[in-house]
Amino acid sequence: LAQKWEPVKFEGRTRYVIRTEGKNHFLTAQADKAASGLAVKLERQASPNLVFSWKWKIDQIPPGGSDDTKTTFDHTARIFVAFDTFIGPPRTVNYVWGNVARAGSTFEHPSSGRARFIVLESGNAQAGKWLSHTRDLAADYKRLFGDDDPPNIVAIGLMTDSDGTQTTVTGCYDDLLLRRK
C-alpha cells in the first residue's frame, strides 16, 4: 500500500512516526489524550480471494478503555477497511486490539452501526509483542454485515486513540499488505 496516506482527524492528533528496529522500519502511533488516524484512498474490488495482512504491537491497552461505551471507546491498535455504499457514509470493517471484549468477538461502534469490529487480540497479555494477522475481507464483511457480496473497497486506514480515557498509549504497525490469495 504505497499510495499517499492522509490524516483522519477526530479529537487532537495522534503522533505518527516511522521507527527502526535493526533493519526493519515500521510506523509508531502515540496517542496522548488524542484520536486521529491515517488512511489511504483506494478503488479495489472486494473479491472472495482478497486478503489483508499486517503486524502490530501495543505498549498497553488504554487504562479504563472500553469496547462498548462511547466516552471511553479508545483502542491502542485498530485497522479499518472502508467499503463503498450507495447511500450514507461507508461501512467499515474494523480489526481491533480490544480492551475487555474477548478475542474472536464482534461488536458495533457505540455511535454507528456502519462501523463494526472484530476483536483479534484483547487485554495486555500480549502487549510488547509483534503479532501477525491475515484476514479474508469478503468473509469478514459478510460476517459483520450479512450481505452476499461486499461492495468496492474505498479506503484502508489505522488508528490509535486515547481521547476518551485521557491516557497515553502507543501502537505499532508494520507490513500492511492487500493481496489476492
Side-chain angles (χ1 to χ4, degrees):
L1 298 171
Q3 292 90 338
K4 182 174 167 52
W5 289 77
E6 298 179 15
V8 179
K9 298 174 184 173
F10 292 99
E11 185 67 37
R13 190 171 189 116
T14 300
R15 184 171 178 248
Y16 291 93
V17 177
I18 301 293
R19 300 268 188 228
T20 303
E21 283 179 355
K23 294 182 180 183
N24 187 48
H25 304 284
F26 59 93
L27 183 68
T28 297
Q30 185 178 53
D32 182 11
K33 303 174 190 121
S36 69
L38 292 176
V40 61
K41 292 179 183 176
L42 299 174
E43 186 63 37
R44 183 80 45 99
Q45 183 180 5
S47 61
N49 63 352
L50 193 63
V51 296
F52 187 32
S53 61
W54 68 89
K55 294 188 305 191
W56 62 8
K57 73 176 177 176
I58 67 167
D59 65 338
Q60 65 177 344
I61 59 171
S66 69
D67 299 306
D68 61 357
T69 304
K70 185 177 178 180
T71 56
T72 54
F73 191 78
D74 292 339
H75 294 94
T76 306
R78 172 175 163 185
I79 302 248
F80 62 87
V81 181
F83 294 85
D84 194 15
T85 51
F86 184 67
I87 298 172
R91 288 179 170 177
T92 60
V93 171
N94 293 265
Y95 302 103
V96 69
W97 193 307
N99 298 309
V100 295
R102 66 175 169 60
S105 65
T106 64
F107 59 88
E108 291 184 11
H109 191 286
S111 297
S112 171
R114 298 184 78 78
R116 301 196 181 167
F117 292 74
I118 299 175
V119 180
L120 299 181
E121 307 295 335
S122 187
N124 284 320
Q126 298 292 323
K129 299 176 187 174
W130 282 107
L131 302 174
S132 299
H133 294 282
T134 300
R135 303 299 304 187
D136 179 323
L137 291 176
D140 286 343
Y141 184 90
K142 289 176 187 179
R143 177 180 176 194
L144 295 174
F145 293 102
D147 295 345
D148 290 333
D149 294 313
N152 287 344
I153 297 168
V154 294
I156 289 177
L158 50 89
M159 183 173 174
T160 294
D161 70 305
S162 66
D163 60 320
T165 56
Q166 294 292 292
T167 59
T168 302
V169 294
T170 302
C172 301
Y173 304 88
D174 197 6
D175 296 337
L176 280 74
L177 181 62
L178 188 60
R179 63 180 170 79
R180 305 224 181 270
K181 287 185 207 176

mmCIF file of all heavy atoms in Angstrom, residues 157-180:
data_model
loop_
_atom_site.group_PDB
_atom_site.id
_atom_site.type_symbol
_atom_site.label_atom_id
_atom_site.label_comp_id
_atom_site.label_asym_id
_atom_site.label_seq_id
_atom_site.Cartn_x
_atom_site.Cartn_y
_atom_site.Cartn_z
ATOM 1 N N GLY A 157 -7.237 2.103 6.543
ATOM 2 C CA GLY A 157 -6.601 3.009 7.483
ATOM 3 C C GLY A 157 -6.267 2.355 8.803
ATOM 4 O O GLY A 157 -6.535 1.171 9.023
ATOM 5 N N LEU A 158 -5.687 3.148 9.667
ATOM 6 C CA LEU A 158 -5.325 2.691 11.007
ATOM 7 C C LEU A 158 -5.522 3.837 11.972
ATOM 8 O O LEU A 158 -5.583 4.999 11.587
ATOM 9 C CB LEU A 158 -3.891 2.167 11.038
ATOM 10 C CG LEU A 158 -2.793 3.042 10.445
ATOM 11 C CD1 LEU A 158 -2.224 3.992 11.471
ATOM 12 C CD2 LEU A 158 -1.710 2.170 9.866
ATOM 13 N N MET A 159 -5.642 3.470 13.243
ATOM 14 C CA MET A 159 -5.922 4.497 14.244
ATOM 15 C C MET A 159 -5.468 4.037 15.625
ATOM 16 O O MET A 159 -5.664 2.888 16.000
ATOM 17 C CB MET A 159 -7.422 4.781 14.273
ATOM 18 C CG MET A 159 -7.830 5.874 15.213
ATOM 19 S SD MET A 159 -9.579 6.218 14.968
ATOM 20 C CE MET A 159 -9.840 7.371 16.278
ATOM 21 N N THR A 160 -4.866 4.944 16.355
ATOM 22 C CA THR A 160 -4.523 4.753 17.759
ATOM 23 C C THR A 160 -5.148 5.931 18.495
ATOM 24 O O THR A 160 -4.902 7.078 18.132
ATOM 25 C CB THR A 160 -2.994 4.709 17.947
ATOM 26 O OG1 THR A 160 -2.494 3.532 17.299
ATOM 27 C CG2 THR A 160 -2.604 4.699 19.410
ATOM 28 N N ASP A 161 -5.974 5.636 19.524
ATOM 29 C CA ASP A 161 -6.656 6.744 20.183
ATOM 30 C C ASP A 161 -6.796 6.544 21.687
ATOM 31 O O ASP A 161 -6.855 5.420 22.181
ATOM 32 C CB ASP A 161 -8.016 7.025 19.547
ATOM 33 C CG ASP A 161 -9.049 5.960 19.807
ATOM 34 O OD1 ASP A 161 -8.783 4.794 19.510
ATOM 35 O OD2 ASP A 161 -10.138 6.296 20.299
ATOM 36 N N SER A 162 -6.814 7.679 22.381
ATOM 37 C CA SER A 162 -6.923 7.679 23.847
ATOM 38 C C SER A 162 -7.607 8.947 24.356
ATOM 39 O O SER A 162 -7.384 9.341 25.500
ATOM 40 C CB SER A 162 -5.526 7.556 24.472
ATOM 41 O OG SER A 162 -4.755 8.707 24.183
ATOM 42 N N ASP A 163 -8.417 9.575 23.521
ATOM 43 C CA ASP A 163 -9.044 10.844 23.923
ATOM 44 C C ASP A 163 -10.097 10.658 24.998
ATOM 45 O O ASP A 163 -10.253 11.498 25.868
ATOM 46 C CB ASP A 163 -9.622 11.573 22.711
ATOM 47 C CG ASP A 163 -10.693 10.769 21.990
ATOM 48 O OD1 ASP A 163 -10.533 9.540 21.846
ATOM 49 O OD2 ASP A 163 -11.693 11.367 21.557
ATOM 50 N N GLY A 164 -10.833 9.552 24.974
ATOM 51 C CA GLY A 164 -11.868 9.315 25.976
ATOM 52 C C GLY A 164 -11.302 9.004 27.346
ATOM 53 O O GLY A 164 -11.777 9.503 28.367
ATOM 54 N N THR A 165 -10.257 8.181 27.378
ATOM 55 C CA THR A 165 -9.654 7.788 28.656
ATOM 56 C C THR A 165 -8.640 8.810 29.163
ATOM 57 O O THR A 165 -8.182 8.713 30.299
ATOM 58 C CB THR A 165 -8.958 6.419 28.519
ATOM 59 O OG1 THR A 165 -7.995 6.486 27.449
ATOM 60 C CG2 THR A 165 -9.963 5.308 28.260
ATOM 61 N N GLN A 166 -8.267 9.766 28.296
ATOM 62 C CA GLN A 166 -7.297 10.802 28.666
ATOM 63 C C GLN A 166 -5.976 10.180 29.132
ATOM 64 O O GLN A 166 -5.380 10.593 30.133
ATOM 65 C CB GLN A 166 -7.874 11.737 29.740
ATOM 66 C CG GLN A 166 -9.042 12.573 29.234
ATOM 67 C CD GLN A 166 -8.588 13.593 28.207
ATOM 68 O OE1 GLN A 166 -7.877 14.540 28.532
ATOM 69 N NE2 GLN A 166 -8.988 13.405 26.959
ATOM 70 N N THR A 167 -5.518 9.154 28.384
ATOM 71 C CA THR A 167 -4.279 8.448 28.705
ATOM 72 C C THR A 167 -3.303 8.575 27.541
ATOM 73 O O THR A 167 -3.601 9.224 26.540
ATOM 74 C CB THR A 167 -4.566 6.959 28.984
ATOM 75 O OG1 THR A 167 -5.184 6.372 27.820
ATOM 76 C CG2 THR A 167 -5.488 6.787 30.186
ATOM 77 N N THR A 168 -2.148 7.934 27.681
ATOM 78 C CA THR A 168 -1.146 7.886 26.611
ATOM 79 C C THR A 168 -0.872 6.431 26.281
ATOM 80 O O THR A 168 -0.547 5.640 27.176
ATOM 81 C CB THR A 168 0.155 8.582 27.039
ATOM 82 O OG1 THR A 168 -0.140 9.941 27.386
ATOM 83 C CG2 THR A 168 1.187 8.564 25.925
ATOM 84 N N VAL A 169 -1.031 6.082 24.999
ATOM 85 C CA VAL A 169 -0.786 4.715 24.533
ATOM 86 C C VAL A 169 -0.006 4.759 23.226
ATOM 87 O O VAL A 169 -0.060 5.735 22.482
ATOM 88 C CB VAL A 169 -2.100 3.924 24.340
ATOM 89 C CG1 VAL A 169 -2.798 3.707 25.678
ATOM 90 C CG2 VAL A 169 -3.029 4.597 23.345
ATOM 91 N N THR A 170 0.707 3.660 22.938
ATOM 92 C CA THR A 170 1.499 3.567 21.717
ATOM 93 C C THR A 170 1.198 2.253 21.004
ATOM 94 O O THR A 170 1.312 1.174 21.599
ATOM 95 C CB THR A 170 3.007 3.642 22.029
ATOM 96 O OG1 THR A 170 3.265 4.866 22.719
ATOM 97 C CG2 THR A 170 3.840 3.575 20.765
ATOM 98 N N GLY A 171 0.819 2.373 19.746
ATOM 99 C CA GLY A 171 0.603 1.211 18.886
ATOM 100 C C GLY A 171 1.595 1.256 17.737
ATOM 101 O O GLY A 171 1.979 2.335 17.277
ATOM 102 N N CYS A 172 2.020 0.085 17.274
ATOM 103 C CA CYS A 172 2.958 -0.001 16.155
ATOM 104 C C CYS A 172 2.347 -0.865 15.056
ATOM 105 O O CYS A 172 1.687 -1.874 15.346
ATOM 106 C CB CYS A 172 4.277 -0.610 16.613
ATOM 107 S SG CYS A 172 5.089 0.318 17.926
ATOM 108 N N TYR A 173 2.591 -0.480 13.797
ATOM 109 C CA TYR A 173 2.009 -1.154 12.643
ATOM 110 C C TYR A 173 3.105 -1.436 11.622
ATOM 111 O O TYR A 173 3.977 -0.593 11.405
ATOM 112 C CB TYR A 173 0.949 -0.262 11.992
ATOM 113 C CG TYR A 173 -0.145 0.192 12.937
ATOM 114 C CD1 TYR A 173 -0.008 1.346 13.703
ATOM 115 C CD2 TYR A 173 -1.325 -0.529 13.055
ATOM 116 C CE1 TYR A 173 -1.014 1.773 14.557
ATOM 117 C CE2 TYR A 173 -2.340 -0.119 13.909
ATOM 118 C CZ TYR A 173 -2.177 1.036 14.648
ATOM 119 O OH TYR A 173 -3.174 1.443 15.490
ATOM 120 N N ASP A 174 3.010 -2.595 10.967
ATOM 121 C CA ASP A 174 4.044 -2.966 10.003
ATOM 122 C C ASP A 174 3.468 -3.917 8.961
ATOM 123 O O ASP A 174 2.508 -4.649 9.221
ATOM 124 C CB ASP A 174 5.206 -3.639 10.748
ATOM 125 C CG ASP A 174 6.485 -3.686 9.942
ATOM 126 O OD1 ASP A 174 6.539 -3.099 8.841
ATOM 127 O OD2 ASP A 174 7.442 -4.313 10.417
ATOM 128 N N ASP A 175 4.071 -3.907 7.805
ATOM 129 C CA ASP A 175 3.809 -4.871 6.730
ATOM 130 C C ASP A 175 2.343 -4.967 6.326
ATOM 131 O O ASP A 175 1.823 -6.066 6.106
ATOM 132 C CB ASP A 175 4.340 -6.259 7.106
ATOM 133 C CG ASP A 175 5.836 -6.305 7.263
ATOM 134 O OD1 ASP A 175 6.525 -5.434 6.693
ATOM 135 O OD2 ASP A 175 6.337 -7.195 7.967
ATOM 136 N N LEU A 176 1.648 -3.841 6.194
ATOM 137 C CA LEU A 176 0.269 -3.859 5.700
ATOM 138 C C LEU A 176 0.293 -4.271 4.233
ATOM 139 O O LEU A 176 1.006 -3.655 3.426
ATOM 140 C CB LEU A 176 -0.380 -2.483 5.837
ATOM 141 C CG LEU A 176 -0.894 -2.128 7.233
ATOM 142 C CD1 LEU A 176 0.219 -1.814 8.186
ATOM 143 C CD2 LEU A 176 -1.869 -0.984 7.156
ATOM 144 N N LEU A 177 -0.480 -5.310 3.899
ATOM 145 C CA LEU A 177 -0.447 -5.845 2.553
ATOM 146 C C LEU A 177 -1.830 -6.324 2.147
ATOM 147 O O LEU A 177 -2.441 -7.151 2.832
ATOM 148 C CB LEU A 177 0.552 -7.010 2.474
ATOM 149 C CG LEU A 177 0.722 -7.679 1.121
ATOM 150 C CD1 LEU A 177 1.249 -6.700 0.078
ATOM 151 C CD2 LEU A 177 1.659 -8.869 1.254
ATOM 152 N N LEU A 178 -2.322 -5.808 1.038
ATOM 153 C CA LEU A 178 -3.589 -6.214 0.452
ATOM 154 C C LEU A 178 -3.229 -7.014 -0.789
ATOM 155 O O LEU A 178 -2.552 -6.518 -1.687
ATOM 156 C CB LEU A 178 -4.393 -4.967 0.087
ATOM 157 C CG LEU A 178 -5.814 -5.128 -0.373
ATOM 158 C CD1 LEU A 178 -6.680 -5.794 0.690
ATOM 159 C CD2 LEU A 178 -6.402 -3.768 -0.745
ATOM 160 N N ARG A 179 -3.671 -8.298 -0.834
ATOM 161 C CA ARG A 179 -3.269 -9.169 -1.946
ATOM 162 C C ARG A 179 -4.332 -10.233 -2.221
ATOM 163 O O ARG A 179 -5.192 -10.479 -1.405
ATOM 164 C CB ARG A 179 -1.927 -9.832 -1.636
ATOM 165 C CG ARG A 179 -1.986 -10.750 -0.422
ATOM 166 C CD ARG A 179 -0.640 -11.414 -0.124
ATOM 167 N NE ARG A 179 -0.667 -12.075 1.144
ATOM 168 C CZ ARG A 179 -1.212 -13.250 1.385
ATOM 169 N NH1 ARG A 179 -1.793 -13.911 0.404
ATOM 170 N NH2 ARG A 179 -1.198 -13.796 2.581
ATOM 171 N N ARG A 180 -4.194 -10.859 -3.365
ATOM 172 C CA ARG A 180 -5.050 -11.989 -3.708
ATOM 173 C C ARG A 180 -4.421 -13.260 -3.159
ATOM 174 O O ARG A 180 -3.214 -13.370 -3.083
ATOM 175 C CB ARG A 180 -5.205 -12.104 -5.212
ATOM 176 C CG ARG A 180 -5.722 -10.812 -5.811
ATOM 177 C CD ARG A 180 -6.806 -11.048 -6.827
ATOM 178 N NE ARG A 180 -7.276 -9.802 -7.398
ATOM 179 C CZ ARG A 180 -8.269 -9.089 -6.899
ATOM 180 N NH1 ARG A 180 -8.873 -9.468 -5.825
ATOM 181 N NH2 ARG A 180 -8.639 -7.966 -7.470
#
